[in-house]
Amino acid sequence: MTDNKIKKSINGLSVDVEDYFHVSNFEHMVSFDQWEEFELRVEKNTLRVLELFAKHKATATFFILGWVAERLPDLVKEISKQGHEVASHGYRHRLVYNLTPDEFKSDLLKTNDILSGLTGKKVLGFRAPSYSITDKNLWALDVLKECGFLYDSSIFPIHHHRYGIPDFPRYKTEVALKDGSSITEFPISTLRLGSKNFPIGGGAYARLLPWWFLKFGYNRINKVEQKPFVFYFHPWEIDANQPRMECSAFTRLRHYGGLSRFASKLDKMLSAFQFTSIKNL
Ligand SMILES: [Zn+2]
């Protein structure tokens, strides 16, 4: 690590560990019962991600789907062994606002049992599938606390047809809970442009936007706002050869756009900025 890197802000790095057929964009085409029929590519892709992080001495939080952890226990152990944080992405990628509090709770506890059984460590953090904690279901934060979580990283402070709380704080914040306690929220990072928050914290945006623009945004967060940014991506986003699903042109752009260039973009990002896990933030 260079001195230059030490002086820089430390940002949050996160990976949502799921496969290409788990994503919400395809859930109307691929039912849970069909998951077993698909080729698992997440192991190979996650090992590539681990290599990339090791090259840059970057530590991250891996929000792992319980279903994936059950099938790839050695992968979960390897992530933990390499010093990364193992956290929860729920068991079967169900959108939290479509669940009852009891259904959410049992999904969380089932996943925690699998993950902590493999790592021997308590699961401290949660990321909702498709950022599905919005102002309609903030009760989810109370359930997380009840299940022993210390933090959540599911709220995207943007306008989106499926998720987002546009006026939510853009940085780490304590959210008051019904029992009088609180839970820490790490929102996904946005760039403030005029009166709007622009999503630059990961996903299709990070794949499709040019590197110079992303770098401008991250530098602005670190240097002007003097805050860390929280970045996320998925192992399937570096897999340009993944099987193609039949979908609309819009979904094609959102899921397949920029896949072939994303690994080299990540490499540039990991060279330019310093990262750690969300727990360490
Ligand atoms: Zn997901």
Side-chain angles (χ1 to χ4, degrees), residues 16-18 22-24 65 89 93 127-130 234 236:
D16 294 358
V17 182
E18 64 194 33
H22 294 136
V23 302
S24 300
L65 209 58
H89 195 38
H93 218 263
R127 159 116 358 110
S130 294
H234 308 87
W236 56 260

Side-chain angles (χ1 to χ4, degrees), residues 82-96:
Q82 292 196 23
H84 302 290
E85 180 189 7
V86 167
S88 171
H89 195 38
Y91 181 75
R92 46 174 285 191
H93 218 263
R94 289 191 295 178
L95 301 177
V96 179

